[in-house]
Amino acid sequence: MTIDQARLWNRLEALSEITDPERPWTRRSFTLRFLEGRDWLAAEFRAAGLETAIDAAGNLIGRLPGSDPALKPILIGSHSDTVPSGGRYDGILGVLAGLEVAQSLAESGQRLRHPLEIVDFLAEEPSEFGLSCIGSRGLAGALSEEHLALRRPDGMTLREGIAFVGGRPEELASVARPGGSVAAYVEVHIEQGRVLESEAVPIGIVTDIVGIRRERITVTGRADHAGATPMPLRADALVGASRLIEAAYRRALATARDNQPLVATFGRIEVSPNAANAVPGEAVMILEVRSGDEAAVKAFGEALVRDLRPALEELRLTVTSEPISHVAPTACAQDIRKAIADASASLGLATRDLPSGAGHDGVFVARTGPIGMIFVPCLDGRSHAPEESITPEQAGDGTRVLAQTLRLLDTRLS
């Protein structure tokens, strides 16, 4: 099996060019632009000889039968949707690397023992419905009725959105795969960090995917006239919010030298009345905490609010917190990590173990079977930004390691 690096790169460039022309590189899930990319991708799957279909959860799947139909499938994939103005290689590298491996396998005349499935998961990135990893949740049986009832700003429900992309939300139960039904899942992804590039290491072997917790924190004071209200009499919610933001930053920064560092971000804040001449009466913020330490992720927001509450009360403010979502850290399987290491060594490529600070579909696929991830460097660690960039050689290295990992897993797994 020989990987055609030029073909892989041409496909990466072609799919990335299917973008909102006013905002490259943007291909948001549940949009006509996303469907255009999906149509192109499905055509490439079929041309490569894959049995191609969209499952009930809206995942695009291409399949190569194995020589032993009794064996569980090996899955390879990622996602083709993007965040706004970012994602030229994030996600699509994993899908197209999987496609290149499958096509090269078919062209070589070889056949795996295990069935092989290449998956483009629906909406890995946070969607307008307020939910991420929608397709992989569906695969794992983790899409609830509450999820399906979520609405985006224009009123469309997630149930309607899944149907819009060709899924069948009324049949979700039929697509959910139970634990132990997948032999292995492997994904190639850009690192989205600077470790591999700074150390000149071509391949990263992911040890675990961090846990992610989001909480809504509301600081309530009193809206007043900005000119007529003396400073000592104010109950300025935004001042209280700033205290929380600074404290969260300092507490997370203090973990930087830990084996399991934690990051905390207030990435969204809504202030009301939100007027230049009004004292803010309320500030609603979203706190996101990420770490491989499950206990630390759970405790951070609660401790932050508890410890800052007395200081906020001195400012005549109240503060409340409510959880929005929580995904536990997910470990990558030792057997798959070993196969990636052996595959890289056989190709003469150095490796480094490192955690993933970003979330991935593998978190939910792990409920169906063991997972592993292969990282390749990206320029200056930039991702989710227009500057996101990799080279054809980096894409090729990751795909060659994926191909060899697949061969090893096919012989080692039952």
Side-chain angles (χ1 to χ4, degrees):
M1 175 170 37
T2 302
I3 296 301
D4 187 334
Q5 181 173 296
R7 179 171 62 191
L8 169 65
W9 188 254
N10 288 338
R11 281 176 169 154
L12 284 166
E13 293 293 280
L15 182 52
S16 67
E17 290 289 343
I18 301 175
T19 178
D20 182 346
E22 304 300 321
R23 197 177 190 182
W25 310 89
T26 302
R27 194 172 46 259
R28 298 290 285 152
S29 56
F30 305 102
T31 66
L32 293 176
R33 193 72 63 185
F34 173 73
L35 292 183
E36 182 183 351
R38 266 288 181 85
D39 287 345
W40 179 90
L41 197 53
E44 294 295 305
F45 275 26
R46 291 189 292 268
L50 304 182
E51 301 171 2
T52 304
I54 294 177
D55 72 8
N59 300 310
L60 175 65
I61 301 178
R63 193 172 190 274
L64 279 181
S67 62
D68 186 346
L71 292 179
K72 304 168 187 175
I74 296 175
L75 274 58
I76 298 173
S78 193
H79 61 97
S80 63
D81 67 310
T82 75
V83 299
S85 300
R88 191 173 185 182
Y89 303 104
D90 171 8
I92 72 171
L93 173 61
V95 177
L96 294 177
L99 173 59
E100 177 57 36
V101 169
Q103 185 167 358
S104 297
L105 184 67
E107 289 172 346
S108 70
Q110 301 176 56
R111 192 176 185 187
L112 299 179
R113 296 166 54 240
H114 293 76
L116 176 64
E117 297 182 17
I118 314 304
V119 187
D120 172 30
F121 288 107
L122 175 64
E124 188 263 5
E125 303 289 5
S127 66
E128 299 302 319
F129 298 100
L131 193 68
S132 58
C133 297
I134 291 172
S136 52
R137 288 175 192 263
L139 187 88
L143 273 181
S144 67
E145 286 298 319
E146 289 77 10
H147 289 146
L148 295 176
L150 292 170
R151 292 183 182 273
R152 68 184 190 186
D154 67 358
M156 175 186 277
T157 65
L158 179 55
R159 183 186 301 276
E160 293 167 339
I162 291 174
F164 174 76
V165 301
R168 300 174 302 283
E170 70 281 359
E171 299 177 20
L172 279 176
S174 68
V175 79
R177 305 194 189 192
S181 62
V182 169
Y185 170 73
V186 188
E187 177 176 347
V188 178
H189 205 282
I190 61 172
E191 181 194 349
Q192 301 178 284
R194 298 180 176 89
V195 174
L196 296 178
E197 182 184 56
S198 65
E199 297 181 5
V201 176
I203 298 295
I205 303 175
V206 177
T207 56
D208 57 273
I209 302 171
V210 294
I212 303 176
R213 183 178 178 86
R214 295 188 179 116
E215 300 177 32
R216 180 180 292 104
I217 296 179
T218 302
V219 180
T220 304
R222 191 179 73 183
D224 279 307
H225 193 288
T229 308
M231 299 301 291
L233 300 181
R234 296 186 178 200
D236 190 327
L238 192 54
V239 172
S242 70
R243 301 280 179 91
L244 288 162
I245 293 168
E246 183 178 11
Y249 176 81
R250 292 187 180 280
R251 291 182 180 204
L253 186 63
T255 73
R257 290 178 294 276
D258 293 351
N259 290 332
Q260 288 278 16
L262 176 148
V263 296
T265 308
F266 280 102
R268 181 172 180 176
I269 182 168
E270 298 176 358
V271 180
S272 61
N274 199 27
N277 63 346
V279 175
E282 183 179 74
V284 181
M285 306 180 291
I286 304 299
L287 170 66
E288 182 188 86
V289 182
R290 300 184 183 218
S291 176
D293 184 335
E294 170 77 341
V297 169
K298 284 185 173 181
F300 187 89
E302 179 183 352
L304 179 71
V305 170
R306 181 190 65 236
D307 295 347
L308 271 290
R309 180 172 278 115
L312 297 188
E313 289 176 347
E314 289 182 6
L315 296 170
R316 294 174 293 280
L317 304 172
T318 61
V319 57
T320 60
S321 177
E322 59 177 325
I324 297 174
S325 63
H326 180 89
V327 177
T330 301
C332 292
Q334 287 289 347
D335 288 349
I336 300 180
R337 290 171 56 187
K338 177 66 163 56
I340 296 170
D342 292 345
S344 301
S346 72
L347 295 168
L349 295 170
T351 63
R352 187 197 195 283
D353 289 350
L354 74 171
S356 171
H360 299 282
D361 287 305
V363 168
F364 291 96
V365 183
R367 302 184 185 189
T368 71
I371 68 163
M373 291 192 70
I374 300 164
F375 274 175
V376 298
C378 55
L379 182 63
D380 198 30
R382 298 299 303 279
S383 181
H384 284 191
E387 296 81 13
E388 184 178 280
S389 182
I390 62 174
T391 67
E393 292 73 25
Q394 289 166 338
D397 284 346
T399 305
R400 281 184 281 272
V401 171
L402 175 65
Q404 184 63 7
T405 299
L406 178 64
R407 297 171 78 141
L408 293 175
L409 291 174
D410 187 52
T411 59
R412 295 175 181 181
L413 298 175
S414 59

